[in-house]
Amino acid sequence: KKKTSSSAKRGVAPPLQPNIFSDPEALKETCGLPDADFREKVNDILREALGAPALFGSSAGIAAPRKASSSIDRRAAAADLATLAKEKGVIFILKKCKVIEKIEMNLVPNGIAAVFGNEKGLNPGGGMRKITSAVSLASMGSMDTDHNDAASTIISDSKKGLTTPPEAREGCLLFLRALAQIVGKQAEPFVVPMLAAALEECS
């Protein structure tokens, strides 16, 4: 029996699409901001991607009600940030704006060296332990995700000793996926080691 188009696509996330920077004029305006303002904008978008939007991001102030961050919000913010990296340069966004530092802090709190090294003899041979996770960049943020997963993730996280909120870890992984999709090869030196360490840490 032939599969319908809907069932064939089930479980496969659509390509990441920017929200703010789907408009070329908005991208041009942001890239033309003074350095301090631009860095602040990058930080605000990063917070959105991690599920923690800036408290003072609107004229309504801190008391204004805010809706909870969703995977859709985080996907769009991750794509916006990757679009900025493509326009302004990967090195500038990741290193000068300290984005990669914050991504690493959320994904691998003990640092990549602790995952790849043989710290305290936990990784015999000096290499990273075998990754058994079936996580795929292409499947992250699927529209078919069960909403009950959030509660079960929090429970399993506490058992594993993970303290970074699952929304933040998802946002970090989405950003790595966005870099691979939108920026491409220029981002590989940052994406490959970080993704490998992240999958080991989160598996």
Side-chain angles (χ1 to χ4, degrees):
K1 188 178 178 181
K2 218 173 186 180
K3 288 185 178 179
T4 62
S5 59
S6 60
S7 62
K9 293 180 180 179
R10 185 175 180 82
V12 178
L16 295 172
Q17 298 291 342
N19 177 25
I20 302 170
F21 302 131
S22 58
D23 178 5
E25 286 301 314
L27 179 60
K28 183 179 178 182
E29 182 181 343
T30 297
C31 289
L33 290 172
D35 188 65
D37 292 341
F38 180 81
R39 289 171 188 256
E40 185 178 349
K41 182 70 173 177
V42 168
N43 190 53
D44 286 346
I45 297 173
L46 176 60
R47 286 179 61 88
E48 290 277 357
L50 300 183
L55 292 175
F56 300 98
S58 70
S59 58
I62 192 172
R66 288 168 172 76
K67 69 181 183 70
S69 171
S70 68
S71 287
I72 293 174
D73 298 326
R74 294 189 286 277
R75 282 201 300 269
D80 279 326
L81 201 53
T83 302
L84 274 183
K86 183 177 181 180
E87 185 70 18
K88 291 286 284 188
V90 179
I91 298 293
F92 182 78
I93 296 297
L94 297 188
K95 301 288 283 185
K96 297 292 180 65
C97 296
K98 299 185 177 180
V99 169
I100 200 68
E101 178 183 314
K102 292 168 186 173
I103 294 294
E104 180 176 349
M105 192 174 11
N106 279 279
L107 279 182
V108 278
N110 294 325
I112 289 182
V115 179
F116 281 92
N118 189 22
E119 192 170 316
K120 297 181 181 178
L122 298 177
N123 295 337
M128 187 172 67
R129 297 187 302 277
K130 183 180 179 182
I131 296 175
T132 57
S133 172
V135 174
S136 163
L137 279 177
S139 64
M140 285 191 308
S142 168
M143 301 294 280
D144 299 316
T145 300
D146 188 341
H147 293 293
N148 292 324
D149 285 350
S152 61
T153 300
I154 292 171
I155 294 170
S156 62
D157 284 351
S158 63
K159 289 181 179 178
K160 293 178 184 177
L162 300 176
T163 56
T164 304
E167 295 85 358
R169 291 202 306 276
E170 181 198 41
C172 290
L173 291 172
L174 285 169
F175 176 58
L176 294 179
R177 177 189 166 199
L179 284 175
Q181 176 192 308
I182 294 171
V183 177
K185 287 189 175 181
Q186 289 183 332
E188 282 184 7
F190 298 96
V191 172
V192 173
M194 184 65 72
L195 180 59
L199 292 180
E200 169 71 2
E201 184 75 7
C202 298
S203 63

